[in-house]
Amino acid sequence: AGRGGDLVFDVIASAFKNERAAGLRRTAGDALSDLGDERAAGLATAALADRSTLVRWRAARILGELGEGVAVTAALKQAQFDEKAFECAFEMKDAARKVALRSEGRDGGARGPMWKQIQDGLAEGDAA
């Protein structure tokens, strides 16, 4: 990512982990998602236990976009089992589905934030 990219990631990651206001933590999660940096997956896994519904929802969304592997799927399934808020449990279940599909190399497990998927799809269409 280069030094500038690392600094941006580090500042946003710090806000996602440490900001007191849940709305700001969630917004930092939005920014992590937009960066599409794989390092966000570890932060998001830890945030599945955040006290804020907003942050847990965003964490699940990040993992649905960037998460990989059996450990991420297991963390999402456990968090879903423990979750009381419907919208978070739903997002956790969908994220686990996407990670599992990616792990199997199947359709439906597209990787990265939605804007990036759209951009890549348009670029592929231009190349055809």
Side-chain angles (χ1 to χ4, degrees), residues 59-110:
R61 188 75 169 210
I62 290 169
L63 291 171
E65 295 170 345
L66 302 173
E68 296 283 344
V70 176
V72 170
T73 302
L76 283 161
K77 287 181 178 181
Q78 182 61 51
Q80 178 193 349
F81 180 77
D82 297 337
E83 184 58 56
K84 304 275 187 279
F86 171 80
E87 64 274 21
C88 290
F90 182 87
E91 195 62 42
M92 291 166 181
K93 182 176 184 176
D94 189 52
R97 179 189 64 82
K98 290 175 183 175
V99 173
L101 288 172
R102 266 197 305 278
S103 295
E104 297 167 8
R106 296 174 45 206
D107 287 340

